[in-house]
């Protein structure tokens, strides 16, 4: 397989529109890396530059240490799986999977061996004589993956391959592609706008926004240690809650003035907030780190009095949409044993040890990120 390196890669359209700006990404040999971000963030453009389907405006692309900027797509030994499957409708499944090998003049016996091997891996042996129109969406996606497998490429590229499937099938196919990665022990780069896919499938995630790499790291590292407000709000479902608070200093130390309540930061966070006394910042807390209290906590307990807007029972837990007089809507995850009704006044306490703080101007994390990724 192969190591893929992007060194200061940029893509500029019409001389001024930067679809990607100086991306520095290394995908290690046999690693599964997911590019994630909202529509138009540059993730698919970056994948297409790796594939050779888009020219690189600036920077260097290396695969196994070899410069690939000017190498034709067919000579990069890369296989790509597209969102729309891109199967030939007039060919059978077998012919679709064998086509690229025939073009390369691979011996017929070897083609048959490779196709049958891939079909067995993907459990589509019984469909080899069918045309694509006779297959379901999930079966077509398996054929598209099989067409990539038979080529024995150095790198597999997936461009939002599950976006056309229904929710249940997406879950199944996520598991199948992850299992395929472990079985093939291959280098894979996968593009999606769905952060759930990224969290469940990736060895590491690259988060994109407005043509820039925001952060790179393992899924749980990014979840627990977002570098900026965008990553904090994008990784995780539902997104992190954000409140505008003012950092004030009182006799008891630093306090966050939220308007309807005052929150006391965890002691290790206070030294980093000291420089923000008198300023507004963004306070972030995840839904599972807001804890319901049947009665208000004692003084200093960081109690938030909130009004229930929506109750969403999900079985294993219940999601509450809440609001105070001074905050926008926030979401809390609670146990299903608690009973709530719309317009109830409820008390919640944020776990301040798990709070996040972001500069209001730069939106960068005020707290330093721990080592590793």
């Amino acid at each position: 397989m192969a190591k893929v390196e992007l060194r200061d890669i940029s893509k500029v359209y019409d001389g001024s529109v930067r679809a990607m700006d100086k991306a520095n990404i290394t995908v290690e040999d046999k690693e599964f890396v997911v590019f994630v971000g909202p529509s138009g963030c540059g993730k698919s453009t970056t994948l297409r530059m790796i594939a050779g389907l888009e020219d690189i405006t600036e920077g260097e692309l290396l695969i196994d240490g070899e410069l690939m900027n000017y190498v034709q797509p067919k000579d990069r030994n890369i296989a790509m799986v597209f969102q729309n499957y891109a199967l030939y409708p007039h060919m059978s499944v077998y012919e679709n999977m064998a086509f690229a090998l025939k073009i390369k003049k691979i011996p017929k016996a070897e083609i048959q061996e490779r196709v049958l091997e891939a079909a067995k891996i993907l459990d589509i042996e019984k469909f080899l004589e069918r045309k694509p129109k006779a297959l379901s969406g999930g079966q077509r996606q398996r054929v598209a993956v099989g067409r990539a497998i038979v080529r024995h490429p150095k790198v597999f590229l997936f461009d939002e391959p599950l976006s056309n499937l229904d929710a249940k099938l997406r879950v199944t196919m996520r598991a199948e592609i992850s299992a395929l990665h472990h079985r093939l022990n291959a280098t894979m780069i996968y593009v999606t706008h769905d952060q759930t896919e990224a969290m469940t499938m990736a060895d590491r995630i690259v988060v994109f926004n407005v043509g820039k790499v925001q952060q790179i790291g393992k899924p749980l590292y990014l979840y627990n240690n977002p570098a900026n407000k965008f990553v904090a709000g994008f990784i995780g479902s539902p997104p992190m809650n954000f409140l505008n608070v003012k950092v004030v200093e009182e006799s008891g130390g630093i306090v966050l003035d939220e308007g309807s309540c005052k929150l006391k930061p965890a002691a290790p966070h206070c030294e980093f907030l000291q420089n923000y006394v008198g300023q507004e910042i963004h306070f972030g807390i995840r839904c599972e780190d807001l804890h319901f209290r049947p009665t208000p906590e004692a003084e200093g307990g960081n109690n938030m009095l909130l009004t229930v807007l929506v109750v969403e029972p999900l079985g294993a837990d219940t999601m509450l949409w809440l609001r105070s007089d001074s905050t926008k809507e926030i979401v809390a995850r609670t146990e299903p044993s608690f009973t709530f009704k719309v317009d109830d006044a409820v008390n919640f306490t944020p776990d301040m040890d798990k709070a996040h703080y972001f500069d209001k101007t730069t939106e960068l994390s005020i707290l330093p990120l721990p080592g590793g990724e």
Side-chain angles (χ1 to χ4, degrees):
M1 291 301 152
K3 178 178 180 179
V4 180
E5 299 173 83
L6 284 71
R7 299 177 179 174
D8 287 326
I9 292 287
S10 296
K11 178 64 180 180
V12 182
Y13 292 105
D14 300 325
S16 60
V17 179
R18 282 191 170 264
M20 178 47 56
D21 186 28
K22 296 188 179 302
N24 285 282
I25 304 166
T26 298
V27 180
E28 299 294 345
D29 183 31
K30 302 180 178 66
E31 191 175 25
F32 194 124
V33 169
V34 175
F35 293 175
V36 70
S39 297
C41 68
K43 58 188 184 298
S44 290
T45 298
T46 303
L47 192 78
R48 290 173 64 83
M49 285 192 285
I50 296 172
L53 303 178
E54 293 277 0
D55 293 332
I56 296 170
T57 307
E58 302 166 3
E60 295 180 332
L61 169 67
L62 289 86
I63 299 178
D64 267 350
E66 295 184 22
L67 185 66
M68 290 285 141
N69 290 45
Y70 308 107
V71 175
Q72 292 296 312
K74 63 183 179 64
D75 299 323
R76 296 189 183 194
N77 200 7
I78 283 175
M80 191 162 180
V81 179
F82 295 92
Q83 177 180 352
N84 61 358
Y85 319 134
L87 301 177
Y88 296 109
H90 62 287
M91 294 183 182
S92 67
V93 168
Y94 182 96
E95 291 168 334
N96 265 282
M97 293 173 65
F99 183 72
L101 303 181
K102 290 180 179 178
I103 295 297
K104 288 189 172 184
K105 301 191 184 325
I106 303 292
K108 188 174 181 180
E110 184 178 346
I111 291 175
Q112 183 175 17
E113 181 182 350
R114 288 196 196 184
V115 170
L116 293 178
E117 179 187 23
K120 185 176 181 180
I121 290 172
L122 296 166
D123 194 24
I124 54 173
E125 295 167 286
K126 56 183 174 290
F127 305 131
L128 288 176
E129 300 306 316
R130 293 189 189 180
K131 299 286 179 62
K133 66 180 180 181
L135 303 177
S136 68
Q139 291 162 352
R140 292 180 194 178
Q141 192 55 270
R142 287 188 181 93
V143 176
V145 173
R147 187 175 54 187
I149 291 174
V150 299
R151 295 177 56 189
H152 295 174
K154 285 185 175 182
V155 182
F156 288 85
L157 305 179
F158 295 86
D159 190 8
E160 304 205 38
L162 309 185
S163 59
N164 290 335
L165 304 181
D166 62 60
K168 184 177 180 180
L169 190 52
R170 279 203 303 272
V171 173
T172 302
M173 287 300 297
R174 281 206 311 256
E176 289 188 7
I177 291 175
S178 294
L180 181 65
H181 171 247
H182 291 293
R183 183 165 184 172
L184 297 179
N185 212 14
T187 303
M188 293 185 175
I189 304 174
Y190 185 104
V191 163
T192 181
H193 64 273
D194 185 337
Q195 59 87 29
T196 301
E197 284 183 23
M199 289 291 291
T200 55
M201 299 174 73
D203 294 325
R204 287 190 303 144
I205 296 172
V206 182
V207 183
F208 290 82
N209 191 36
V210 292
K212 289 184 178 292
V213 174
Q214 301 292 311
Q215 192 174 6
I216 303 174
K218 294 179 180 178
L220 287 180
Y221 181 89
L222 297 189
Y223 186 83
N224 293 317
N225 305 287
N228 56 45
K229 187 183 175 189
F230 175 80
V231 176
F234 193 84
I235 297 294
S237 180
M240 183 182 289
N241 297 301
F242 297 107
L243 306 176
N244 290 328
V245 299
K246 187 173 183 179
V247 182
V248 297
E249 195 161 21
E250 297 183 350
S251 57
I254 287 180
V255 173
L256 306 176
D257 188 345
E258 188 270 331
S260 63
C261 70
K262 291 185 178 180
L263 305 173
K264 189 171 179 57
H269 299 166
C270 288
E271 69 170 290
F272 303 104
L273 295 171
Q274 188 70 47
N275 294 332
Y276 288 85
V277 170
Q279 300 179 41
E280 285 193 349
I281 63 171
H282 298 296
F283 167 77
I285 193 77
R286 293 203 181 274
C287 63
E288 64 270 23
D289 297 325
L290 281 166
H291 303 296
F292 172 64
R293 306 297 184 195
T295 57
E297 289 287 279
E299 186 176 350
N302 291 324
N303 183 71
M304 299 178 72
L305 181 61
L306 304 166
T307 301
V308 177
L309 299 177
V310 177
V311 181
E312 293 184 340
L314 301 177
D317 48 34
T318 298
M319 304 302 295
L320 293 182
W321 294 81
L322 307 157
R323 187 176 62 201
S324 73
D325 292 337
S326 57
T327 68
K328 61 181 181 179
E329 293 176 7
I330 60 176
V331 186
R333 189 192 306 272
T334 67
E335 296 180 12
S337 57
F338 297 131
T339 302
F340 301 96
K341 299 190 298 294
V342 173
D343 293 330
D344 277 354
V346 291
N347 297 285
F348 276 83
T349 299
D351 184 343
M352 299 304 285
D353 287 325
K354 296 182 179 178
H356 300 266
Y357 306 96
F358 303 96
D359 185 290
K360 196 168 184 180
T361 302
T362 66
E363 298 195 342
L364 296 177
S365 175
I366 291 172
L367 302 180
L369 302 182
E373 56 174 48

